[in-house]
Amino acid sequence: PTALIAANNNFIVSGFDIDQKKIDSINAKISPISEPGVQEFLTEAIENKHFYAYKTLQPADCFIITVPTPFTTNKEPDLKSVFDAYTAVCKKIKPGNLIILESTVPVGTTERLCEFIEKNSGLRPKKDFLMAYCPERVLPGRIFSELVSNDRIIGGICEKSTNMAGKFYSKFVKGKCFFTNSKTAEMVKLV
């Protein structure tokens, strides 16, 4: 849904997933999820050539990570999908890129991911790349209206990261955007 909202607000979006059946379905304009509005948004985005899905992460100016973070059997958050996504980003990231994490994560994860990117890409946070946390808060059946109408908390690793992420979300969010740091934004989502 976030990708489709962006695509239908004049961003050129390259979706990325590891499930080839899902990718084929999306590119054939068949929604893999049952949610009001998804089919219409998907059809419009693909027909306008603003969205296409890939099995290989494509270069981008902004990477938005929205992956599941289930609990392990020990009731710990399973961040494997988050780190897998960031491993893929490390192979494509270029100086000046912005990375936004939307998945529900423990406080401090955004900063840990900055260290992970620096170690695996050689690029420095705040200097070579920007990063922010902006959790998605939506109810099933109302995803598109809530992505646009809900207030958003945006927490960057620095002021420039927060401002750049805010500039992105301001293109389609009609709710108020509250700016803070990544740890505060992570805590707000958990609370």
Side-chain angles (χ1 to χ4, degrees), residues 93 95-96 114 117-119 121-130 157:
I93 191 171
C114 282
I117 292 170
E118 183 173 24
K119 179 182 175 192
S121 73
L123 297 177
R124 298 163 300 164
K126 301 178 188 176
K127 295 189 185 324
D128 298 326
F129 69 91
L130 303 174
I157 58 167

Side-chain angles (χ1 to χ4, degrees), residues 57-65 89 92-93 97-100:
L57 186 65
Q58 302 298 299
D61 297 322
C62 177
F63 296 94
I64 301 172
I65 311 300
V89 168
K92 298 293 181 179
I93 191 171
N97 283 168
L98 169 65
I99 306 160
I100 301 171

Side-chain angles (χ1 to χ4, degrees), residues 98 100 132 154 160-170 179:
L98 169 65
I100 301 171
I154 302 169
K160 187 173 181 183
S161 293
T162 304
N163 290 335
M164 286 300 291
K167 189 174 180 181
F168 167 74
Y169 286 104
S170 73
F179 290 3

Side-chain angles (χ1 to χ4, degrees), residues 139-187:
L139 293 173
R142 297 184 36 87
I143 287 179
F144 288 105
S145 64
E146 294 205 359
L147 283 174
V148 171
S149 300
N150 283 357
D151 293 344
R152 299 296 290 253
I153 184 87
I154 302 169
I157 58 167
C158 62
E159 187 176 349
K160 187 173 181 183
S161 293
T162 304
N163 290 335
M164 286 300 291
K167 189 174 180 181
F168 167 74
Y169 286 104
S170 73
K171 300 292 184 187
F172 58 88
V173 171
K174 304 298 181 226
K176 186 169 168 94
C177 290
F178 296 92
F179 290 3
T180 188
N181 59 61
S182 61
K183 283 184 177 179
T184 301
E186 291 164 339
M187 181 58 82

Side-chain angles (χ1 to χ4, degrees), residues 4-61:
L4 295 178
I5 286 277
N8 286 304
N9 279 278
N10 296 315
F11 288 96
I12 304 300
V13 179
S14 298
F16 168 62
D17 201 289
I18 58 173
D19 182 340
Q20 188 63 51
K21 287 182 182 178
K22 188 182 289 184
I23 293 164
D24 293 342
S25 175
I26 289 169
N27 291 334
K29 298 186 271 190
I30 301 167
S31 174
I33 61 173
S34 177
E35 177 69 33
V38 170
Q39 188 59 59
E40 295 81 5
F41 273 83
L42 177 61
T43 300
E44 182 180 344
I46 290 178
E47 287 179 356
N48 289 334
K49 298 187 180 352
H50 283 204
F51 182 76
Y52 198 79
Y54 298 88
K55 189 160 183 176
T56 305
L57 186 65
Q58 302 298 299
D61 297 322

Side-chain angles (χ1 to χ4, degrees), residues 47-114:
E47 287 179 356
N48 289 334
K49 298 187 180 352
H50 283 204
F51 182 76
Y52 198 79
Y54 298 88
K55 189 160 183 176
T56 305
L57 186 65
Q58 302 298 299
D61 297 322
C62 177
F63 296 94
I64 301 172
I65 311 300
T66 55
V67 296
T69 52
F71 286 108
T72 65
T73 54
N74 296 335
K75 301 204 190 278
E76 296 288 328
D78 182 352
L79 299 179
K80 181 184 180 324
S81 294
V82 173
F83 278 91
D84 287 350
Y86 276 82
T87 298
V89 168
C90 285
K91 296 173 185 172
K92 298 293 181 179
I93 191 171
K94 301 282 187 240
N97 283 168
L98 169 65
I99 306 160
I100 301 171
L101 177 61
E102 290 193 348
S103 302
T104 304
V105 295
V107 174
T109 301
T110 304
E111 290 179 357
R112 282 181 51 210
L113 290 165
C114 282

